[in-house]
Structure formats: C-alpha cells, structure tokens
Amino acid sequence: MPDARRWPGGAVAASPAPRWRRLATPAGVLAAVAGAFAYVGVVDPDHPGHYPVCPLYRFTGLYCPGCGGLRSAHAFVHGDLAAALHDNAPAVAGYFLFAVLWVVWAARAWRGRPARLELGNAQMWVIGTLLLAFTVIRNLPFGAWLHP
C-alpha cells in the first residue's frame, strides 16, 4: 500500500484524510460560535423581546449559573472585559477555555491526530462544585455583586 502508514508492531493504517477535510469540523464549529457571538454582539440582550428569559429566574427570582451569559457575551464582543466579568465571570472563563481547546483541536486535526479531552471524575466534581458555589453565592445577600 503506497499511501499507507506503518504503525509499531507492523499494523497498517490507511492514509489520513486531506488536511482541508480534517479541518472542516473545527472550522465549522468556529464559524458557528463566531456567528452566535456576532449575533449577540449586534442584538443587545438588554433590550427585551430578542431573547427568552431564564425560566429559573422568571419563576423563582434566583439566578442560575448561566444568567447574565448573553450580557457577558455582548460586553465581551464589544471589548468591555470588566462588564463581561461582572455579568458572568464563569462564562468569560469559558470563552477563553473554548479558545484554547479549539486551537489545540485544530492543531491536532492539522497533524492528523485525534482530539481527546478526557475529564475524570475529580475534574467533573471540581467544575460542578465551582458552578454550584457560584450559583449559591450570587443568590445570597452578600453575593449581590455577582448579579448580572
């Protein structure tokens, strides 16, 4: 097989797909995320009628971990990092984490390697605990500074 790869142990694998095909999925995801951020950047979440209200907030008056995420994205698109952090700090951390993970994904796809993100139980518990703590603190009287 002239276009095959030999792996250690004598196994033969077919040649990888062309680079443009390997980058199609990361590029598509980036285009979708960029389109969503562009829309939120143009359509201000502070003007009613464009986005649905958080059901948890509507029925209970409590802020969920995602409350303020659209306002945060709007401020982030407009370069106001302080306002973005005020509206939803975990969302801003998520934007930066997405950017890093996307670059790693695209680089691995470019090289023909699989993209793997394996979170263990400990990492999932830490993430869940941080989001739960953020949610509880922002709904207590002394956490009012975390309200969107």
Side-chain angles (χ1 to χ4, degrees):
M1 301 173 101
D3 61 344
R5 234 190 234 179
R6 291 225 176 256
W7 295 90
V12 177
S15 65
R19 282 191 173 146
W20 69 268
R21 185 171 286 165
R22 292 191 310 250
L23 290 174
T25 303
V29 169
L30 182 63
V33 170
F37 268 85
Y39 180 79
V40 172
V42 171
V43 181
D44 190 355
D46 286 324
H47 293 92
H50 296 289
Y51 302 102
V53 177
C54 173
L56 181 68
Y57 181 74
R58 179 179 210 148
F59 295 118
T60 66
L62 298 173
Y63 295 105
C64 77
C67 282
L70 288 173
R71 288 187 202 98
S72 174
H74 182 78
F76 189 81
V77 168
H78 289 277
D80 190 354
L81 188 59
L85 285 167
H86 174 265
D87 288 331
N88 194 320
V92 175
Y95 308 151
F96 287 113
L97 180 63
F98 171 80
V100 169
L101 291 176
W102 186 88
V103 168
V104 170
W105 181 23
R108 291 186 66 82
W110 178 263
R111 293 183 187 121
R113 296 184 177 158
R116 292 189 182 156
L117 176 64
E118 297 177 12
L119 294 177
N121 287 338
Q123 291 91 354
M124 295 298 285
W125 276 103
V126 167
I127 293 168
T129 302
L130 289 173
L131 287 176
L132 181 63
F134 173 72
T135 303
V136 170
I137 291 170
R138 79 187 316 200
N139 284 294
L140 292 174
F142 65 87
W145 59 278
L146 292 172
H147 290 178

